[in-house]
């Protein structure tokens, strides 16, 4: 009898991997043991050489639905078997290196259980198995055993224990396994406004989900149908729900939540229901039905919902139910529901019952609560189909914290922490050549988000047994992520590595696409709001040549002042004036285009003060920002010129305006020029401004003007990239940065470059906005350390 010690690494804990190994071992007449440990899964198997080799070959072919195999190593084992059968034995602690699994939407088998009146889990909202259910949202530490999760306080009943211990059962070693007799309970609370204290303001109106004559979820559905707002405790946090077809309910939710413009997310019971309101192709349908169950941005089409769901937008963000609780709720409703994060705008969503009772007291009429702790906050992920691929715009529930094996050359990279950006923050751990990007954290300008950020970093360090030897930060000293990274570097005695913002965008895209460490450099167009350049200026419309180790700036947009600094990021009219005063004499322009709305708007502003600020460089830093470029054109066309309610609002409106006529239009002739500043190519936009102002003066359709603006930017970008490609001999081009979330721009630039024979890389699995920045930071820091 021969023996093999088989080490398996990857997503192999909490996904039914050990029961699968038990079944395979029995099929191949083997004896031995399998257990979880800090490295993954260890197998000691004994049998004939032929059976052992057949068994090892089958492991990669028989993975459970949620498992991912990163490596499998087998070597001879000289010791004797401990038993005359094959057994699953207790976990052993010897380090912490195994990946943590992402939460997964309810599987078809569990959906069948809750729909079967004869099943003991009929309508039970916490039904799950090894193929689905909570993972990251409930884990406190590894190995992923029940005692290390939010389910620790729920002792399994005899029936659940038998399932848990039976290797032939799909709930074998399902750490969140439970039923109505032993698991979490759900109940409904009503707002009792006679009580002044938030803790006593809420009155319980239901019993438990198992009570024969009580159905809190059904009651919640009825209340939503009646127009009430219900706060629902979900998988990774609270949501606020109302009837998406009820205009009054949607408007009340906007007012109470103080979210006045940004579109709300929606949930519908099935894809057929979604198809009543939005168009979708096969890729979008598959994304909706994926185990990650993201929000998918779809083109609005067909029946209409309340106007307040997505004001002035041509898209709807839909997701399908991803827990049994959501499934049961939607079964009792005919229309989709708004399902937006349970918080006041810009704060993290609530995760604790008492926190929700206090913070949501002035928003929700009812609370649908349960007693399973949410250990880790998780927002819903967001995807959009662009340029032929589904692309993550926000990466959180369902995707985090799955690890990315870095490309060849990074195998020895270890113990690096990247702090991410200021906005749309996520951070990244690099361990043993694998990058673990956190879930979306949010904008660190908010104090509550910043606390959440620090807590999440500590959690990940504990989950992965991680002590950073190197900490990568953005090179902007004002970023709170940079400042916290500097503090951590001191306390951890780690090396601090500043990384230029746009270089990090480039490197993140290379890492995602598996470009090797020693690969030749690529060209890149990185368009975003802003990032600090190596020269101390604010960049944002950049043409780079680079790899992981470094980069060279080859070109950029014409620098234009940001009058008022941060105010220019919130008030697009400031950017319009800055562009006008840069390219023209304001008095002449004012005389020649006196009847234009944008000129009348600007005449009411303190332009003399702004002109002085710009001329004396007082709080008016020059910037090459493409984001502010979009804001300027949007303001000129009358789109959100006064004030933005959320980042990118004006640029999104310009894209929406351009979309219907985009296919029929083309770039303005002579809209741009390429000027030379030493070795740099500088895109100048005076011709484009003249064309746009002339069109406005003629009374041209603003949708046509918006389409022509997009085409002009695309043509200029492709033209400069082609010229740089001829100069450098490089045909691989990265397109990244938050501005490329504009579908028209991405598809036009990428499509035209491919027609010229270029290889185009752009982010898909990680956001092209600052949510993907930490991946690039960690790759650059690793490259410099190797």
């Amino acid at each position: 009898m021969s023996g093999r010690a088989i080490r398996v690494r990857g997503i192999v804990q909490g996904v039914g991997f050990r029961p699968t190994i038990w079944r395979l071992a029995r099929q191949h007449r083997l004896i031995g043991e399998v257990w979880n440990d800090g490295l993954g899964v260890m197998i000691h198997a004994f049998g004939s050489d032929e059976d052992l080799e057949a068994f090892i070959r089958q492991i990669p072919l028989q993975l459970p639905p949620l498992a991912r195999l990163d490596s499998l190593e087998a070597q001879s084992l000289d010791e004797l078997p401990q038993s005359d059968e094959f057994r699953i034995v207790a976990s052993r602690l010897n380090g912490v290196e195994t990946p943590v699994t992402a939460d997964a939407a309810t599987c078809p088998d569990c959906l069948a259980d809750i729909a079967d009146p004869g099943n003991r889990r009929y309508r039970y909202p916490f039904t799950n198995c090894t193929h689905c259910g909570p993972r990251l949202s409930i884990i406190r530490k590894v190995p992923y055993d029940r005692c290390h999760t939010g389910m620790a306080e729920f002792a399994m009943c005899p029936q659940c224990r038998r399932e848990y211990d039976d290797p032939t059962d799909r709930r074998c070693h399902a750490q969140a396994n439970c039923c109505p007799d032993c698991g979490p309970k759900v109940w409904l609370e009503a707002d009792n406004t006679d009580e002044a204290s938030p803790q006593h303001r809420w009155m319980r109106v239901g019993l438990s989900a198992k009570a024969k004559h009580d159905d809190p979820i059904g009651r919640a559905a009825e209340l939503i149908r009646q127009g009430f707002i219900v706060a629902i405790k979900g998988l990774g946090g609270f949501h606020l729900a109302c009837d998406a077809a009820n205009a009054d309910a949607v408007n009340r939710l906007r007012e109470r939540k103080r979210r006045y413009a940004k579109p709300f997310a929606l949930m519908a019971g099935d894809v057929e229901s979604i198809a009543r309101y939005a168009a979708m192709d096969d890729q979008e349908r598959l994304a909706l039905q994926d185990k990650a169950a993201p929000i998918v941005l779809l083109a609005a089409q067909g029946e209409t919902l309340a106007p307040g769901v997505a004001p002035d937008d041509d898209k709807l963000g839909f997701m399908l139910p991803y827990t049994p609780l959501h499934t049961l709720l939607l079964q009792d409703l005919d229309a989709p529901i708004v399902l937006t994060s349970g918080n006041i705008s810009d704060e993290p969503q609530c995760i604790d019952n008492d926190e929700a009772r206090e913070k949501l007291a002035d928003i929700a009429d009812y609370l649908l609560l349960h007693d399973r702790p949410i250990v880790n906050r998780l927002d819903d992920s967001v995807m959009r189909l662009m340029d032929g691929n589904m692309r993550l715009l926000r990466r959180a529930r369902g995707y985090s914290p799955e690890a990315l094996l870095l490309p060849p050359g990074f195998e020895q990279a270890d113990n690096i922490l990247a702090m991410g950006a200021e906005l749309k923050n996520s951070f990244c751990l690099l361990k043993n050549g694998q990058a673990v990007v956190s879930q979306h954290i949010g904008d660190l300008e908010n104090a509550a988000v910043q606390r959440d950020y620090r807590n999440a970093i500590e959690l990940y360090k504990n989950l992965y047994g991680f002590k950073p030897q190197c900490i990568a930060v953005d090179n902007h000293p004002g970023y709170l992520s940079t400042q916290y990274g500097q503090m951590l570097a001191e306390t951890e005695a780690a090396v601090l590595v500043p990384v230029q913002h746009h270089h990090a965008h480039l490197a993140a895209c290379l890492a995602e696409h598996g470009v090797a460490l020693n690969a030749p450099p690529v060209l890149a167009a990185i368009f975003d709001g802003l990032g600090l350049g190596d020269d101390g200026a604010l960049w944002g419309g950049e043409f780079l040549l680079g790899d992981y180790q470094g980069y060279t700036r080859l070109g950029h947009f014409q620098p234009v002042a940001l009058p008022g600094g941060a105010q220019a990021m919130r008030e697009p009219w400031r950017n319009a004036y800055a562009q006008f005063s840069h390219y023209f004499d304001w008095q002449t322009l004012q005389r020649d285009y006196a009847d234009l709305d944008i000129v009348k708007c600007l005449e009411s502003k303190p332009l003399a003060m702004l002109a002085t600020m710009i001329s004396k460089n007082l709080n008016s830093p020059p910037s090459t920002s493409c984001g502010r470029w979009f804001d300027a054109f949007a303001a000129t066309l009358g789109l959100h010129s006064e004030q933005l309610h959320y980042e990118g609002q004006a640029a999104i409106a310009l894209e929406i305006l351009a979309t219907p006529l985009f296919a029929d239009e083309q770039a303005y002739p002579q809209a741009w020029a390429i000027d030379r500043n030493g070795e740099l190519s500088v895109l100048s936009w005076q011709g484009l401004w003249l064309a746009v102002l002339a069109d406005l003066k003629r009374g041209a359709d603003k949708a046509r003007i918006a389409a022509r603006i997009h085409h002009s930017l695309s043509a200029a970008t492709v033209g400069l990239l082609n010229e740089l490609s001829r100069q450098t001999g490089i045909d691989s081009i990265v397109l990244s940065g938050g501005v490329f979330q504009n579908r028209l721009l991405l598809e036009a630039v990428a499509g035209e470059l491919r027609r010229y024979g270029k290889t185009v890389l752009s982010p898909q699995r990680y956001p092209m906005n600052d949510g993907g920045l930490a991946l690039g930071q960690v790759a650059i820091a690793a490259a410099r350390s190797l």
Side-chain angles (χ1 to χ4, degrees), residues 452-502:
D452 203 42
Y453 170 64
R454 297 185 179 207
N455 292 337
I457 289 173
E458 288 305 308
L459 168 78
Y460 273 65
K461 286 166 63 179
N462 292 333
L463 284 180
Y464 291 90
F466 185 84
K467 180 175 173 56
Q469 297 174 358
C470 172
I471 296 179
V473 297
D474 191 278
N475 66 349
H476 195 308
Y479 280 7
L480 294 168
S481 57
T482 298
Q483 294 168 8
Y484 187 50
Q486 291 168 339
M487 189 187 79
L488 279 180
E490 290 181 12
T491 57
E492 301 274 3
V495 176
L496 188 72
V497 179
V499 176
Q500 200 280 322
H501 191 90
H502 302 93

Side-chain angles (χ1 to χ4, degrees), residues 537-580:
L538 297 175
W539 296 0
E542 306 307 309
F543 296 84
L544 308 178
L545 170 68
D547 53 21
Y548 297 108
Q549 286 90 350
Y551 75 97
T552 301
R553 191 186 195 198
L554 300 181
H556 55 78
F557 281 29
Q558 176 67 53
V560 174
L562 298 178
Q567 280 296 101
M569 299 169 63
R570 295 185 281 268
E571 298 176 349
W573 65 267
R574 292 174 179 266
N575 299 290
Y577 175 72
Q579 293 274 340
F580 293 155

Side-chain angles (χ1 to χ4, degrees), residues 124-126 154 179-187 204 207-210 369-372:
Y124 182 57
F126 305 99
F154 299 98
C179 73
D181 292 329
C182 64
K185 306 295 187 287
V186 64
W187 66 91
R204 189 159 171 163
L207 302 173
S208 68
K210 69 173 184 176
L369 303 177
H370 61 74
D371 55 358
R372 185 176 73 195

Side-chain angles (χ1 to χ4, degrees), residues 122-123 215-226 243 269 321 324-337:
Y122 176 60
R123 291 187 65 81
D215 182 7
I217 298 174
R219 290 189 185 189
E222 178 59 31
L223 290 166
I224 290 171
R225 195 180 298 111
Q226 292 172 9
D243 182 352
L325 188 153
H326 294 111
T327 299
L328 295 169
L329 181 75
L330 268 294
Q331 283 176 357
D332 293 332
L333 291 166
D334 298 323
I337 59 172

Side-chain angles (χ1 to χ4, degrees), residues 103 251 285 463 578 605 692 738:
D103 298 68
N251 292 338
R285 182 183 297 263
L463 284 180
K605 305 300 182 185
V692 168

Side-chain angles (χ1 to χ4, degrees), residues 374-393:
I374 298 173
V375 178
N376 302 310
R377 181 182 286 108
L378 291 171
D379 290 279
D380 295 312
S381 297
V382 181
M383 299 192 94
R384 188 182 186 189
L385 178 62
M386 298 189 294
D387 192 35
N389 290 290
M390 297 303 304
R391 298 174 191 273
L392 276 168
L393 308 184

Side-chain angles (χ1 to χ4, degrees), residues 505-506 508-509 524-528 734-740 746 761-763 767-769:
H505 276 305
L506 185 160
C509 187
I526 310 294
F527 294 171
D528 63 2
V734 164
L735 304 177
S736 192
V739 169
F740 276 109
L746 177 65
L761 303 177
S762 53
M768 60 182 72
N769 58 50

